[in-house]
């Protein structure tokens, strides 16, 4: 499993919860993701076998933007 990082537009714990619910519905376990709301880029880290494009799609379906950080 690889950890992928994404810049997001999450602003609060509620945003984080919505993103997490969407990820967990798509097979990402609860302990395998986190959003750093203290960072300027609100970085989402996801440890999963899902591809970056799939994670971006899942976050978008939750109503947020995600851009992979290389």
């Amino acid at each position: 499993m690889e950890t992928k990082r994404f810049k997001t537009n999450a602003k609060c714990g509620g945003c984080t919860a919505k993103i997490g619910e969407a990820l967990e519905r798509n097979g990402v376990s609860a302990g395998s993701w986190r959003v750093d709301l203290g960072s300027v880029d609100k970085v989402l880290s996801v440890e999963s076998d899902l591809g970056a494009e799939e994670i971006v799609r899942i976050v978008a379906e939750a109503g947020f933007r995600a851009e992979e950080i290389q």
Side-chain angles (χ1 to χ4, degrees):
M1 255 186 259
E2 180 182 348
T3 300
K4 297 168 191 73
R5 298 175 66 231
F6 303 85
K7 177 180 175 180
T8 72
N9 64 333
K11 295 183 181 355
C12 65
C15 299
T16 299
K18 288 180 184 178
I19 291 169
E21 289 169 7
L23 288 168
E24 291 169 19
R25 275 195 310 271
N26 284 276
V28 178
S29 64
S32 297
W33 66 270
R34 75 187 273 317
V35 177
D36 182 359
L37 293 175
S39 71
V40 173
D41 291 332
K42 313 300 187 216
V43 175
L44 165 66
S45 300
V46 180
E47 185 177 337
S48 172
D49 289 330
L50 293 175
E53 300 83 13
E54 183 73 4
I55 294 169
V56 168
R57 181 193 64 75
I58 292 166
V59 172
E61 287 179 357
F64 301 92
R65 289 189 315 271
E67 176 184 331
E68 187 174 20
I69 299 170
Q70 298 293 335

